[in-house]
Amino acid sequence: MKNIFIALLCFAVITGCKDERSDLGDKHFKNGEYKEAVKAYTEYLRLEPTHVKSLYNRGRAYEELGEYEKALADFNKVVKEDPLNTNAYLSITSDYYYRQQDYENTIFYAEKVLAQNENSVIAHTLKGKAYQKLGKLQEAMAAYNAAISVDKEYADAYLSRGLLRVHLNQISRACADFQMAASLGSDKAKAVSKKYC
């Protein structure tokens, strides 16, 4: 009986410490202390190497530090452990491939997100931006329209569609998109509107 009690006590202490380290990482992340967050998550992951939340959050901390390869490695580990984790796929899409100007992979991963959640306004918009960068303007317009049909209050979709319309010389329609994006809080839309409208 005494051995069982000692074993339970040890288990409680170990799991309590593990949770504290993960929570400490979250606290550091929220305070913008990304190096400390990485250290706390790494320490926690030594005990729980497949803990999805800590892997994802460490990847986000690496992103904030500009260590994109390490972030991608963590996001890929998340996807390996949880193949339906749309947050990891979105991070791979936007924070890695789109940032690296790898537009084909941006589209590939955006489509993975959309296969799991066809209402991901962020994935539709990223897909549109990638198509636009590749010169596939009809596909870009369709993606922006899909994003807006999912969420009529997503400013970035209106801003992106407006920029595409400027490229297509549809200035009055572009200005309407910029106005809508600005009304939804996009400061960039306000600046672009001054330039074109």
Side-chain angles (χ1 to χ4, degrees), residues 41-113:
Y41 290 131
T42 300
E43 195 171 319
Y44 179 76
L45 288 164
R46 283 190 190 114
L47 301 170
E48 286 286 332
T50 60
H51 189 257
V52 169
K53 180 179 175 257
S54 294
L55 281 167
Y56 179 77
N57 288 344
R58 186 176 69 177
R60 294 283 297 120
Y62 277 134
E63 279 182 325
E64 295 294 335
L65 293 169
E67 297 183 36
Y68 302 116
E69 295 294 330
K70 290 180 180 178
L72 179 63
D74 276 349
F75 297 143
N76 281 326
K77 288 176 190 172
V78 170
V79 168
K80 183 179 177 187
E81 294 301 320
D82 180 8
L84 300 178
N85 192 304
T86 56
N87 286 333
Y89 280 120
L90 276 173
S91 291
I92 291 168
T93 306
S94 65
D95 300 325
Y96 188 76
Y97 286 114
Y98 188 78
R99 184 188 309 262
Q100 298 296 322
Q101 300 178 357
D102 182 343
Y103 303 120
E104 296 288 349
N105 272 317
T106 299
I107 293 165
F108 175 79
Y109 280 98
E111 287 176 349
K112 280 188 169 282
V113 173

Side-chain angles (χ1 to χ4, degrees), residues 181-192:
S183 75
L184 294 169
S186 171
D187 290 333
K188 187 174 179 183
K190 293 173 188 172
V192 173

Side-chain angles (χ1 to χ4, degrees), residues 129-178:
K129 289 179 179 183
Y131 274 131
Q132 188 169 347
K133 293 287 188 180
L134 292 171
K136 298 180 178 182
L137 305 184
Q138 287 182 331
E139 291 90 338
M141 185 66 77
Y144 297 143
N145 289 337
I148 291 167
S149 73
V150 167
D151 183 353
K152 296 194 181 341
E153 296 186 5
Y154 189 62
D156 194 35
Y158 288 103
L159 173 62
S160 299
R161 187 173 72 176
L163 291 169
L164 175 57
R165 285 179 164 163
V166 166
H167 182 75
L168 296 171
N169 205 26
Q170 299 172 353
I171 303 303
S172 64
R173 295 179 86 185
C175 290
D177 279 341
F178 296 148

